[in-house]
Amino acid sequence: MTDMPRNPAEPSRFQRIWESDVMWSFRHSPVAIVSAIVSLVMIFGAILAPLYAPQDPFNPASLNLMDGLTPPGKVNEFTGQTFLLGSDSQGRDMFSAVLYGTQVSLLVGAASVLFSAVIGVFLGLMAGYIGGKTEAVIMRVADVQLSFPAILIALLIFGVARGIIPPGQQEDATLILLILAIGLSNWAQYARTVRGSTLVEKNKEYVQAARVIGRSPLLIMLKHILPNVMGPVTVIATINLALAVIEEATLSFLGVGMPPTQPSLGTLIRVGQQFLFSGEWWILLFPALTLVILALAINLLGDWLRDAMNPRLR
């Protein structure tokens, strides 16, 4: 038995997506288009850095101290090497360092956003669907956490976790600790948003029907309610990605983030500010400029997504 041929007049899935309200808004928003292009170029540029970066800045064997403090585009008088964005005091190519540093910052930012979203969404579903004491406890904890700046909570979590780990393993565990610290400092936003959406969704007919046929509360939350509350979560996650990258850079700038052997953008900025007043401006300028452009592009994209997914504005 052959499959029924598709009606030629019926639009394909790609056409339906392309003609949706969100894509129409994207096509008619120059800011969103430019932000998406810049974000994708920087993200894929960081991911593919090992393929085209002139140097591996994480490998001490590839560094030459004689190449140190070479200005951008100038020929080093000792080795004859030329660096597009200059080199730092260790002879590290700043172009390669910025690429790998962006890779580390994006990894920490994306992983922490995913971690905080999973925790916040699950707790928000429980608070909104179960209610009662469960809702009261979760929301009071969220209210207390939201009363403090996220960077202070991340510093506290990072400091406590680092104090538990033996000194010899602290540097290797820094990446995981940063993800946990930033993720645990940002879950409350997701929980409050999902809880409000769940309170609306749990009284609708499809949830009532699922209860009647005997579905368990966990299955109702995950299979029926969760897909209908993911719109606001996607918007928050996009905006929080930029905030998480900045938060990681702040922690690294304060000296509690990534070590100099595996620098993120924040670590490179912290190292570069030591040379700012001695004339080696490029060591600070290029990592800082990369961080600003990356955070601004993602943030503008998140702002557009928030407006595009708001039915009141359509």
Side-chain angles (χ1 to χ4, degrees), residues 142-221:
D143 291 340
V144 171
Q145 179 162 325
L146 288 173
S147 64
F148 295 95
I151 188 66
L152 294 182
I153 298 175
L155 277 171
L156 175 63
I157 297 172
F158 186 89
V160 172
R162 191 159 186 170
I164 299 174
I165 298 176
Q169 303 176 5
Q170 289 181 358
E171 185 169 321
D172 296 333
T174 300
L175 182 65
I176 302 299
L177 292 181
L178 277 175
I179 294 173
L180 292 177
I182 297 174
L184 290 175
S185 66
N186 290 308
W187 66 269
Q189 304 174 53
Y190 299 94
R192 294 189 67 176
T193 303
V194 172
R195 176 248 183 188
S197 300
T198 303
L199 289 174
V200 175
E201 296 294 328
K202 74 174 184 178
N203 294 319
K204 292 186 177 180
E205 290 80 3
Y206 72 92
V207 176
Q208 301 293 340
R211 289 174 182 162
V212 170
I213 64 177
R215 292 287 178 93
S216 66
L218 181 61
L219 189 59
I220 292 175
M221 286 189 290

Side-chain angles (χ1 to χ4, degrees), residues 7-297:
N7 185 356
E10 181 183 349
S12 64
R13 179 177 298 180
F14 175 78
Q15 288 175 325
R16 290 196 299 269
I17 295 175
W18 182 254
E19 295 173 0
S20 64
D21 291 339
V22 173
M23 289 304 301
W24 185 93
S25 174
F26 178 78
R27 298 197 307 269
H28 291 79
S29 175
V31 174
I33 295 174
V34 174
S35 300
I37 293 174
V38 172
S39 300
L40 289 175
V41 168
M42 298 188 74
I43 291 172
F44 281 103
I47 294 174
L48 301 177
L51 299 180
Y52 65 91
Q55 184 188 79
D56 182 1
F58 293 172
N59 182 13
S62 66
L63 306 182
N64 185 354
L65 291 177
M66 299 298 292
D67 288 325
L69 303 180
T70 303
K74 298 295 182 64
V75 178
N76 185 280
E77 58 182 341
F78 299 107
T79 64
Q81 294 290 331
T82 303
F83 301 95
L84 178 63
L85 302 183
S87 64
D88 64 5
S89 60
Q90 303 297 318
R92 183 161 41 201
D93 174 40
M94 288 305 300
F95 178 65
S96 302
V98 167
L99 289 175
Y100 278 81
T102 305
Q103 188 180 78
V104 173
S105 295
L106 285 172
L107 174 61
V108 174
S112 62
V113 165
L114 179 62
F115 179 59
S116 60
V118 170
I119 295 177
V121 168
F122 183 72
L123 293 178
L125 284 171
M126 290 182 59
Y129 188 82
I130 299 175
K133 293 182 179 179
T134 302
E135 178 185 13
V137 171
I138 294 175
M139 289 298 100
R140 294 302 76 76
V141 173
D143 291 340
V144 171
Q145 179 162 325
L146 288 173
S147 64
F148 295 95
I151 188 66
L152 294 182
I153 298 175
L155 277 171
L156 175 63
I157 297 172
F158 186 89
V160 172
R162 191 159 186 170
I164 299 174
I165 298 176
Q169 303 176 5
Q170 289 181 358
E171 185 169 321
D172 296 333
T174 300
L175 182 65
I176 302 299
L177 292 181
L178 277 175
I179 294 173
L180 292 177
I182 297 174
L184 290 175
S185 66
N186 290 308
W187 66 269
Q189 304 174 53
Y190 299 94
R192 294 189 67 176
T193 303
V194 172
R195 176 248 183 188
S197 300
T198 303
L199 289 174
V200 175
E201 296 294 328
K202 74 174 184 178
N203 294 319
K204 292 186 177 180
E205 290 80 3
Y206 72 92
V207 176
Q208 301 293 340
R211 289 174 182 162
V212 170
I213 64 177
R215 292 287 178 93
S216 66
L218 181 61
L219 189 59
I220 292 175
M221 286 189 290
L222 296 180
K223 188 173 182 180
H224 298 280
I225 298 179
L226 179 60
N228 292 291
V229 301
M230 286 303 295
V233 171
T234 304
V235 175
I236 296 175
T238 305
I239 296 175
N240 274 5
L241 177 59
L243 298 178
V245 170
I246 294 175
E247 195 169 342
E248 181 279 325
T250 304
L251 291 172
S252 297
F253 181 80
L254 295 175
V256 296
M258 297 302 296
T261 54
Q262 294 181 331
S264 65
L265 291 177
T267 307
L268 293 174
I269 293 173
R270 175 170 59 86
V271 173
Q273 61 92 23
Q274 302 173 6
F275 296 90
L276 180 61
F277 297 104
S278 60
E280 289 80 20
W281 49 268
W282 59 89
I283 303 178
L284 172 64
L285 175 64
F286 295 117
L289 190 61
T290 302
L291 177 62
V292 170
I293 294 174
L294 178 63
L296 181 61

